[in-house]
Amino acid sequence: SNLVRLVQGMGFDVQEHEVFSSLRAAKQVIQQQQLRPLLLLHPDAMPEFSGIDCSEPNAVVLGLAQQAFSYDSMNAAFRLLMQQPNAPLLAIHKAKYFTAGDGQLALGPGPYAAALEFATGRTAQVVGKPQPSFFQLALDDLQVPSTAAVMVGDDVCDDVGGAMACGMAGLLVQTGKYLPGDEGSRGVQPTATVTDFAAAVDWILEHIGSTAS
């Protein structure tokens, strides 16, 4: 997948089966519920849903679509939801913003999901972060108990809060989309706040014994 290639390009030795993404979780839900989704996703994410029947859609799946979000695509999703009262609205996640390639903050899929919720009166089912069920799916896939796992992320709510609600330790890194004061905001108090990923690794190596015990 594109995600695996990206991580490998950073120098990490990871294989496809070792990465459990929110896209993979969404595909599982689609298959389990036998849905035919209208996919509002970035073109790079589309290969993750190869083999999924998208003809005559009976569901909307919304993720980080970026330029793929348009009036026409959002209106198509709106019309589908209005015409099919039982059609589910699935949000891969509802992050408010993320760090774009230019280093600046940019709108995430959350505002677009909120727009469809507002217009249709429906509530999106979140299949990725911060749902504890998403973290539990990953833990089950890895066959690791939550007390032996650590989440490292730059989003105090979606990354850290979701993981801690599942019983994991949550490390907030002061990089990416982190903003000063995120620690303790939105009712989430991270297990620890560290400067960057390298510092997170140092923390894990120092505390792994107490975390796993």
Side-chain angles (χ1 to χ4, degrees):
S1 69
N2 289 320
L3 176 59
V4 171
R5 288 191 291 272
L6 175 64
V7 176
Q8 289 172 339
M10 296 177 179
F12 293 94
D13 182 18
V14 297
Q15 303 304 315
E16 192 80 34
H17 69 277
E18 296 176 304
V19 176
F20 192 92
S21 68
S22 54
L23 294 174
R24 182 173 164 187
K27 186 174 183 179
Q28 282 190 5
V29 171
I30 290 169
Q31 292 172 326
Q32 290 167 357
Q33 299 184 18
Q34 298 181 323
L35 301 175
R36 300 184 307 276
L38 170 64
L39 298 171
L40 293 181
L41 301 171
H42 191 280
D44 289 347
M46 289 298 192
E48 302 285 348
F49 294 86
S50 61
I52 296 295
D53 181 9
C54 295
S55 63
E56 300 181 3
N58 60 0
V60 173
V61 176
L62 179 149
L64 184 59
Q66 294 174 264
Q67 288 83 358
F69 281 129
S70 66
Y71 178 83
D72 287 342
S73 64
M74 289 288 288
N75 200 43
F78 165 74
R79 287 177 173 176
L80 188 155
L81 294 170
M82 294 299 287
Q83 293 167 2
Q84 301 185 44
N86 295 322
L89 170 59
L90 304 181
I92 292 177
H93 62 89
K94 293 176 72 175
K96 295 178 180 178
Y97 51 84
F98 68 103
T99 302
D102 60 3
Q104 300 295 312
L105 295 180
L107 283 176
Y112 296 93
L116 288 175
E117 289 178 324
F118 176 76
T120 64
R122 311 278 278 279
T123 299
Q125 174 189 347
V126 181
V127 297
K129 300 179 296 184
Q131 293 300 104
S133 57
F134 167 71
F135 292 96
Q136 190 60 55
L137 281 173
L139 291 169
D140 292 344
D141 188 68
L142 295 170
Q143 298 183 356
V144 173
S146 61
T147 52
V150 180
M151 174 68 193
V152 179
D154 60 1
D155 189 309
V156 69
C157 181
D158 290 356
D159 295 335
V160 176
M164 294 183 71
C166 195
M168 300 167 60
L171 302 186
L172 179 65
V173 290
Q174 296 173 316
T175 57
K177 65 189 292 186
Y178 167 85
L179 295 173
D182 277 351
E183 303 92 328
S185 66
R186 288 181 279 179
V188 178
Q189 184 61 53
T191 306
T193 300
V194 295
T195 55
D196 53 26
F197 185 76
V201 172
D202 290 339
W203 187 97
I204 292 170
L205 292 175
E206 181 181 351
H207 296 84
I208 190 65
S210 59
T211 302
S213 60

